[in-house]
Amino acid sequence: MLKKLMGIVLALVLIMSLFTFAEAEEPVVIRILSSQQTENPEGPLEKSISDAYTALHPNVTFEYIAVNSNEYIKKLTAMGTAGDMADMFQNSSNNLPTTVDLALCEDLNTLFDSEYLDGLQPQMREEASYNGQLLFMPTQSMPMALLYRADWFEEEGLTPPTTWDEFIACGQALTKDTDGDGVIDRYGFAMIATKDSSAGTRFLPILRSFGCREVYLDENGKWQTDVGNDAFKACVQMYADLDVKYQIAQPGTIETSYSEAANLLVAGKAAMMITGSNALGTIYAQNPDLKGKLASCAIPMETQHTSRLGTLGYSIYNGSEHKDICIDYLKFYLEETNALKWTEECYRVPVRTEYYDNPILQEADMKGFVDGIEYAYPWPQFLGIAQTYEIIGSVYQALITGSMDVDTASEQARQEMEELIASYE
């Protein structure tokens, strides 16, 4: 009787194990919304990592939904509103407030153990959090710094600028008619002066270097702004003067976004650019001959050096039916071999501190970006940050085009910022 009973139990265990195995091997499609799929070398690298995961888990297929970064929030909002969300979607310190408003993110503090999360760089983990919830898993960071042609600096006997006056002097020395035809064909600064996130994320650290805060929380937890004060006026006037007065920036600055500015460095048409470390990957992919000719340093200061971390990662949709696979994939994504591919091929700074001994992080082109972590300020988690780019961008554009003076444009921006803040109270 006992043997018969044991036989029945073993049979049941075998049936259950077979059922579990069959269930585990059921085909699963993980949809991922990603702007990196539109970029090179980021897109191919990201795809190679998901392909490597699929090789280990043949039942899992990744379906990418690629969308340009400038259209990303529109696409995310449309998908979220329509109830057609991807299982995972790219998120960032820049986009986090919008995704909070859409209420799409799972709190990853409840899905990952605390020991694993403690391995994240603290500031980057904070940038991925909102009100104590970890709303996206940081996968890489792109700290801001000044990228420059070290070979041209050496030819001109220049040292990396630490102040804006020094920056202007370097820009003037590097702006040249290189072929002697009477037309300037090399500019000191690849200037981005659009009114969107492309310029806004790069201009706000400059504004902070003047001690001016676009938005900040006061002691009562209320949003305030320094827009319109004397430091603000000094900063936007200096920025416009780089084009109008000092003429160290390329023509068409108000229409130049990140990609056009990076292309100026690729083509040898500009000497300096304020950007995140990811620009190195973009530039080297198009012109490998520039390796060894670029270096980075802290963003010049008026009152202080500043940087933003530019933390990027992935959220898990709180309505996904495949959260367990998303968790496992993100851990795979952040394994040392995969994480450092982003550093070696795309020049992103790792988010796990255990990887910071990688020699590439101390090379001349990366060092200024890594040092930027020390100067990084907490990115404001203000729901109206996208409108802030447009309001502030309107000021430096008005000064560049001459449509308003600094006092008029700054006062208009101050009023618009106060109205914007009031609309989110």
Side-chain angles (χ1 to χ4, degrees):
M1 182 68 180
L2 181 60
K3 288 183 178 179
K4 185 177 180 180
L5 184 59
M6 289 179 65
I8 293 171
V9 171
L10 288 172
L12 287 172
V13 170
L14 179 60
I15 291 169
M16 290 178 66
S17 65
L18 288 172
F19 178 80
T20 302
F21 178 78
E23 184 179 45
E25 293 302 312
E26 287 183 1
V28 175
V29 177
I30 302 296
R31 300 172 71 215
I32 301 179
L33 181 64
S34 169
S35 68
Q36 292 186 140
Q37 283 300 301
T38 67
E39 301 171 359
N40 184 39
E42 290 85 355
L45 174 55
E46 184 174 59
K47 184 70 165 52
S48 73
I49 293 174
S50 59
D51 286 347
Y53 185 88
T54 298
L56 297 172
H57 306 274
N59 63 309
V60 178
T61 300
F62 292 95
E63 180 184 295
Y64 283 102
I65 304 165
V67 58
N68 183 281
S69 58
N70 285 333
E71 300 296 320
Y72 185 80
I73 285 297
K74 290 181 182 178
K75 180 67 173 179
L76 178 67
T77 302
M79 291 179 68
T81 303
D84 183 35
M85 269 307 299
D87 297 281
M88 294 169 53
F89 55 95
Q90 193 173 309
N91 212 333
S92 65
S93 52
N94 190 43
N95 291 335
L96 183 60
T98 301
T99 56
V100 168
D101 202 34
L102 292 170
L104 300 172
C105 308
E106 184 67 62
D107 180 8
L108 301 187
N109 286 321
T110 66
L111 302 182
F112 291 81
D113 63 77
S114 58
E115 183 177 355
Y116 184 82
L117 296 178
D118 286 345
L120 299 173
Q121 202 278 341
Q123 292 161 279
M124 297 175 192
R125 180 178 177 180
E126 183 63 27
E127 280 207 346
S129 300
Y130 189 90
N131 286 343
Q133 294 185 320
L134 182 63
L135 297 185
F136 69 90
M137 175 58 69
T139 56
Q140 58 213 239
S141 176
M142 298 163 283
M144 288 276 172
L146 176 66
L147 181 63
Y148 64 94
R149 284 290 299 263
D151 55 339
W152 293 349
F153 267 67
E154 185 175 353
E155 289 172 9
E156 298 292 334
L158 301 171
T159 56
T162 59
T163 67
W164 288 111
D165 285 343
E166 292 173 1
F167 174 85
I168 292 167
C170 288
Q172 290 174 317
L174 293 162
T175 299
K176 289 181 175 293
D177 167 18
T178 62
D179 58 12
D181 67 352
V183 178
I184 297 296
D185 53 23
R186 189 180 84 186
Y187 293 88
F189 181 44
M191 182 174 175
I192 304 173
T194 50
K195 295 193 297 183
D196 53 19
S197 62
S198 188
T201 53
R202 292 165 176 83
F203 178 74
L204 294 188
I206 298 174
L207 188 64
R208 292 272 181 156
S209 78
F210 277 71
C212 181
R213 299 161 294 182
E214 67 292 333
V215 288
Y216 65 95
L217 286 172
D218 64 17
E219 62 276 7
N220 298 315
K222 298 289 187 181
W223 288 109
Q224 305 290 346
T225 183
D226 288 335
V227 168
N229 69 11
D230 288 345
F232 177 83
K233 294 176 185 178
C235 181
V236 292
Q237 186 67 68
M238 184 277 297
Y239 198 61
D241 283 347
L242 298 178
D243 182 354
V244 178
K245 180 179 178 180
Y246 302 110
Q247 299 182 345
I248 65 173
Q250 78 286 351
T253 56
I254 64 174
E255 298 172 350
T256 301
S257 63
Y258 163 74
S259 58
E260 289 87 12
N263 286 338
L264 290 170
L265 268 75
V266 169
K269 299 296 184 182
M272 297 184 287
M273 178 182 179
I274 290 173
T275 189
S277 59
N278 57 303
L280 289 169
T282 300
I283 292 167
Y284 291 155
Q286 298 177 69
N287 189 350
D289 291 340
L290 288 177
K291 289 185 178 181
K293 298 178 181 179
L294 296 175
S296 59
C297 64
I299 293 173
M301 66 174 180
E302 184 68 18
T303 62
Q304 60 192 350
H305 289 304
T306 58
S307 180
R308 62 158 300 194
L309 292 175
T311 306
L312 185 70
Y314 276 101
S315 293
I316 297 177
Y317 173 44
N318 51 23
S320 172
E321 297 179 356
H322 308 297
K323 294 175 186 175
D324 54 341
I325 295 176
C326 293
I327 295 166
D328 191 57
Y329 176 62
L330 285 173
K331 287 183 176 180
F332 179 78
Y333 196 105
L334 286 176
E335 287 178 1
E336 184 171 7
T337 299
N338 292 327
L340 290 180
K341 285 179 182 177
W342 286 99
T343 303
E344 294 161 359
E345 297 182 30
C346 299
Y347 297 84
R348 311 291 179 93
V349 176
V351 298
R352 298 196 67 82
T353 55
E354 63 205 83
Y355 307 152
Y356 279 21
D357 58 354
N358 190 310
I360 195 173
L361 296 175
Q362 295 306 314
E363 292 181 3
D365 53 0
M366 279 294 288
K367 192 174 186 309
F369 296 108
V370 176
D371 289 347
I373 296 173
E374 175 186 351
Y375 304 120
Y377 61 92
W379 194 248
Q381 295 179 332
F382 175 55
L383 292 176
I385 193 68
Q387 294 99 309
T388 299
Y389 301 146
E390 185 170 352
I391 291 170
I392 294 176
S394 295
V395 179
Y396 53 68
Q397 284 201 354
L399 301 184
I400 290 169
T401 60
S403 63
M404 280 189 276
D405 61 37
V406 67
D407 291 326
T408 304
S410 297
E411 175 58 21
Q412 178 175 301
R414 182 192 66 76
Q415 293 177 16
E416 291 178 359
M417 282 297 299
E418 290 183 352
E419 290 171 2
L420 177 65
I421 289 171
S423 72
Y424 283 101
E425 287 183 347

